[in-house]
Amino acid sequence: MTKAIQRGFKGALSVWQASAWIYAINLLFALGFAMAFKNILSEEFANRDVSARLLEGFDFTFLSDLNYASLSVSSLMAMLGWLVVGYALVSVFLSGGVIATLLRGTFSAPDFFADSARYVGRFLALAVLFGLALLAPLIAFSIFLAIGRAMAESATSEAPLVIWTIVGIAIAFLKGAYFYLVFEVAKFEVVTENASPFRAFASALKIVTRHLASFYGILFAFLVIVSLIALLLHALAPEGKSGAGVFALALTQQAFVASRAFLRVASIGGLLWNYQDAKPKKELSPSGAQVSPSLEPTTQVAESQSDAEIKAESESK
Amino acid sequence: MKLALAVSFLSFAVSLQAQTQFPTPLSPRLANYDITARLDVEKRTIDATEILSWKNHSNDAIPDLQFHLYLNAFKNEKSTFFKESGGQLRGVKLDQAEGEMAWGSIEIESMKLLSLNGNETNIDLTKQIRFIQPDDDNKDDQTVAQVLLPSPVLPKGEAKLEIKFKSKLPKIFARTGYAANGKFFLVAQWFPKIGVYEAPGDRYVPLTAPQGRWNCHQFHGNSEFFADFGIYRVSITVPKNYVVGATGVLQSETEQGEEKTLVYYQEDVHDFAWTASPLFQVFEDSYQSKNGHRVKLIFLSQPQHADQAERHFAAVKNALEWAEEWLGVYPYSTLTIVDPCYGGGGAGGMEYPTFITAGTFWKLPLGIKTTEIVTVHEFGHQYFYGMLANNEFEEAWLDEGMNTWLELSVMRRYYAGESGKKSALGDKTSAIDFLGIRIGDVEQSRSAYSSPESAKRDTIVKPVWTYKRGGYGTFSYNKPGTMMLTLENILGEDLMKTVMRTYFERFKFKHPTTRDFIRTVNEVTGKDFTPFFEQFLYSTVALDYAVQSISNVASDEDDEANVASDDETNAKGDYRIKVVFERKEEAIAPMDVRVKFSDGSEFRDVWDGVARYKVYEFQKSAKAVAAYIDSENKHLLDVNLNNNALTAKPETTGFWKWAMNIMFWLQNLFLFFA
Ligand SMILES: [Zn+2]
C-alpha cells in the first residue's frame, strides 16, 4: 500500500502536466462564476461604500438587504448549476487521459486528450452506474436514521440520536467511498482491459471487495494528506482586509487547489498501482497502447476480448 | 384521605411563614389563589382544589365571573386554538401518535361560592357554568367559562370560590404538557383562571363608560395571556423521585409514602407554572440585586446539558444586571430556569413569573448563542409581562416587542465584544459566531421583518389572532424590537434609560397600554413622538432613505456630469456640485445627511425627510467624493441600508475578496468530481 502511494506520487510528478491541466480547467470554470459574481456586485454596489464591510468578513445585513437590490441572483444560480454539471462531465472526460497518461509514464497533450476522448463514453456510463450505486448508501442512511428516530421516541436525551446520526453518516461515507473506489477501478478495467462499462463495474466490485483494506488505506491516506495541507494553509492564510491581503489570500487558496489537483492525480496513481498489485500477473498498459488508437477495435470486439480476460483472470485466482 | 391530611398540615405550616414577602403589597392583589394539586404521572392528570379570592376593584356591581380554561384549547380539533394554529405552535405539532393520551383538557368538577361581599355562603355554582366565546362564534370552543352569581359582586366587594377541577395534560404542546412517557411535565395554563375585569378608565375602557367589562379572551393560536396580580399558594403532590420547580418560593416539602408534597408561595405575580421530572439535575447560583436582596437562581438541567449550567446562569445574570440598570429592581427572591427534556421542546422558551423555560442542545458550540438568546429573552419577560403586565392578547408587542429589545440589548452588550457596544449594527457576533458565519442578534431580528415580503405586511398593534399568517413573529417581536432600538438611537442612551425607567416605575404591577407608553415617551422627552409611533405601530408604512446621486460638474464644462473622473481638483475653476437624497418609502423621519469633499471638508445637515427628494447644491473648488444618509444607522427600521451611501469613486476590493472565496469553494466542490 505504501509502495502504491509512493508510486502514485512519483507517477503524478512525472506527468505533472496532467495535474496542471486539471487545475487550469478547474480554475477556468470557477473563475467564470467568480467574475460574474464580482461584476454583478460591482455593478450594483461599487459606489455604495460596502466594500469595506465585506472586507471585514461575512456581513449578514448586507446579505439580507440584497433583497432590495435589482441584481439577479437567479441567473447566477442557473449559471452555477450549469457549471457544476459541465464540470462533472469534463472531469469524467479528463479521467481517461489521467489514467492512460499515468500508465504511459510520460505526458503528451495530444495523447492526453485523445485518451480522454477514447474512454469518455464508457466512463460516462460508469458515472451513471456510480450515481445509481450511491443510492444504496443514501437509502440505507435514511432507513438507519428512521430507526434512530423511532428509538429516540422514548429517549429523554438527544445525545444518542446525534451519535447515531454521526455513525450513520460515517457508514454512508464509507459505503460511498467504497463505490467511489469501484468507480475508479472500473475505469482502470476499461482502460487496461478495454472492458465494457458493466463488465468493468462488475469486476471492479470483485477486485475492490477482495482488496478492501489497501484501497481504503490509500484513499484515506490521501484524505489525511489533503487535510494536513488544508490545516497548514489555513493557518498561513492572511485575513485579506486590503487589496494586497486579498491577493495573498487568493494565492494561498490557489496553492491549496493546485495541491489538491496534484494529489488527485497522485491518488489515482496510488489506486492504479494498487490495482496492478491486485492483478499480479499482468503488466499494465492502456488498451489504447495495445491497440493503436487509429485502429481501435469495435466495441463488440473490445468487449469479447475483455470478457475472455476477465474469465481468465477470475479463474487464475 | 392521605391528601387531605397532608393539605391541612401544610396549610398550617405555610400560614406560619408566608404572607411576608412584601410587607407593602407591590400590586393590587385582585386575584388570589390557594391551590392544592396532585399529579398522576401515569394518567398525566392533575386533581386539584382551588380557592380563589377575587376582588372587584371597580365601582360596578358585577353579576358574573369569567374564567380562562386554557387547556380546553387542546381538547379536540374544533377549538379556536386548533383552527387558527392548524394544530401547531412554533412549528411543533400536537403529537397524536399517542391517541387520546395526547390531548389535553380541563374539567371543572364543582364550583362552590364560599363567600360573597364578606358574607359566608355555601352555594353550588357548578350548574351555572357555561362556555362563552367572546372573540368568535366558534361554539365548540371551551376555553372561556362564565358563571352567573346569585347576586353581584358589589363595588370593592369580594367573592371567594372553591373550585374542584381535573386537568388532563396534553403531550407537550404549546408550552404545556408531558413528555418522555411521563418522565417530564411542564404544567402551565393548568387551572381555572379568572379573567380581568376592566373598570371605566382601565386600559381602553373609556372613563365615561357606564360600566366596565370582562376581558377574558379565548385561547388563540398565537396568543399568550392576561391576568390580574395576586398571591399564589400552591401545594403540589408528586411521586417522591420527581424533582419539582415552580413559580415562587418553596415553603415546605413533606413526604408521605411514595409521594411528596411541596408548597410554593409567591406574592404579587399573575400566574403560576411548575415542572416535575425525575430527570432533572439541579444547579443553584445567586445574584445580588441592586437593592441588596439576593436572588436565588435554580437551573433544572437535563443531565446531558449539565456542562451548560454556567451558560444559563451567566445569561440570566447578564440580563438581570442590564434590566436593573435600564428598568428597575427585580423584587422577587427566586428565578427558576427549566431545561426541557428531549421531545419536550414544545415547552421550551416560555415565561412565567419567576419561572422560565429555556432550551439547548447537546454539546452546543459556544459560538452558537441560541441558548443565551432564549434564556435572556425568557428572563426579560419577568419585566415585560411579569411586572409590566400588558394584555398579551391585544398588544403583544408590549411584551414580545419590548422584550425583544431587551434581548437584543443584552446580547449585544454581553455577547458581541467591543464592536457591539459602539453601535447596534457593529454587533456581528451575538447570535452566531461559528465557522466564519457571523450574525448579530440585532441583524437577524431586523432581517426577519425588513424584507420586501414582510416589511409592509401588517401593523404591530392589533389582536394577535388577527395578524396575517406568519405576521405574529414579525410584528410582535422583530419589527417592534427594531423600532425600540431605533428609538434608543434617536433619544440617546441616557434619555432612553430615563424613558424606560419611568415607564417601568409608573406601570409595574399594572396593565400598561401602548398609549401609556407613548405618553411616557412624550412626557419624558418633552417632544411629540406620536407621529413616530403612529407610523410604525399603527400603520404598515416602511422606512427607506437613500442617497440618489452625486454630480460634480466643472463650472466651465457644459452640464456634463463627471462623477467618476479621477482628477481631484479642477485647475480651471470651481465645481458645481449636486447631491440628491431620496425618500423611497412612505414613512417619514428626520435624517442626518453628510457630504464629504475631496479636500477633506464635510457638510452635515438634518433633513426633515418629508419631501420625496432633497437636493443640496454646492459651489466648491473640491469635488464631492461621498454622501451618506443616516450614516450611523440610527434608523435600524430603514429596510435597506445598502443604499444609504454613495461614493464618487467605485471601490470593489471587498467584492474581489468574496469572489475569490466563492471561487475557492467552487473549485473545491469541483475537485470532488476530479
Ligand atoms: Zn417572548
Side-chain angles (χ1 to χ4, degrees), chain A residues 9-193:
Chain A
F9 270 104
K10 265 187 213 153
L13 266 177
S14 57
V15 296
W16 61 271
Q17 297 94 330
S19 314
W21 272 105
I22 289 178
Y23 169 73
I25 289 166
N26 175 298
L27 180 66
L28 206 68
F29 268 76
L31 194 63
F33 183 79
M35 286 304 97
F37 172 84
K38 195 229 110 199
N39 288 339
I40 280 179
L41 277 190
S42 299
E43 216 167 277
E44 181 111 12
F45 295 111
N47 295 82
R48 286 300 182 184
D49 202 33
V50 293
S51 171
R53 275 158 70 193
L54 295 186
L55 277 180
E56 281 303 309
F58 186 82
D59 191 290
F60 185 76
T61 296
F62 173 72
L63 222 60
S64 69
D65 291 6
L66 279 185
N67 279 316
Y68 288 89
S70 54
L71 58 81
S72 159
V73 181
S74 60
S75 70
L76 266 186
M77 294 319 284
M79 181 180 182
L80 186 63
W82 284 115
L83 281 174
V84 170
V85 172
Y87 189 85
L89 292 176
V90 168
S91 74
V92 170
F93 172 79
L94 289 180
S95 57
V98 171
I99 295 166
T101 304
L102 278 166
L103 285 171
R104 207 176 272 118
T106 51
F107 182 86
S108 105
D111 285 348
F112 182 71
F113 289 103
D115 288 331
S116 295
R118 179 169 311 119
Y119 303 113
V120 68
R122 279 173 284 172
F123 279 17
L124 281 174
L126 282 178
V128 172
L129 285 176
F130 174 48
L132 290 174
L134 281 184
L135 289 177
L138 279 178
I139 292 165
F141 176 65
S142 54
I143 294 170
F144 187 83
L145 210 58
I147 294 170
R149 287 235 177 82
M151 292 197 311
E153 278 288 299
S154 56
T156 57
S157 165
E158 68 279 19
L161 184 59
V162 173
I163 294 167
W164 182 270
T165 307
I166 291 171
V167 168
I169 290 171
I171 292 171
F173 178 75
L174 286 175
K175 284 185 197 156
Y178 170 76
F179 286 117
Y180 163 73
L181 289 168
V182 170
F183 179 42
E184 289 296 334
V185 169
K187 288 192 229 165
F188 304 157
E189 283 279 294
V190 168
V191 174
T192 61
E193 309 281 352

Side-chain angles (χ1 to χ4, degrees), chain B residues 341-356:
Chain B
C341 76
Y342 174 71
M350 191 51 200
E351 68 279 5
Y352 298 95
T354 79
F355 179 92
I356 61 174

Side-chain angles (χ1 to χ4, degrees), chain B residues 201-204 499 502-503 506-507 511-530 533 537-538:
Chain B
D202 287 352
R203 287 194 339 115
Y204 292 105
V499 166
T502 308
Y503 175 64
R506 231 172 246 185
F507 296 101
H511 303 308
T513 64
T514 304
R515 293 295 171 191
D516 291 328
F517 179 68
I518 297 173
R519 263 194 298 277
T520 307
V521 174
N522 290 346
E523 194 188 308
V524 173
T525 61
K527 287 186 189 133
D528 186 12
F529 274 86
T530 314
F533 291 115
L537 290 175
Y538 293 97

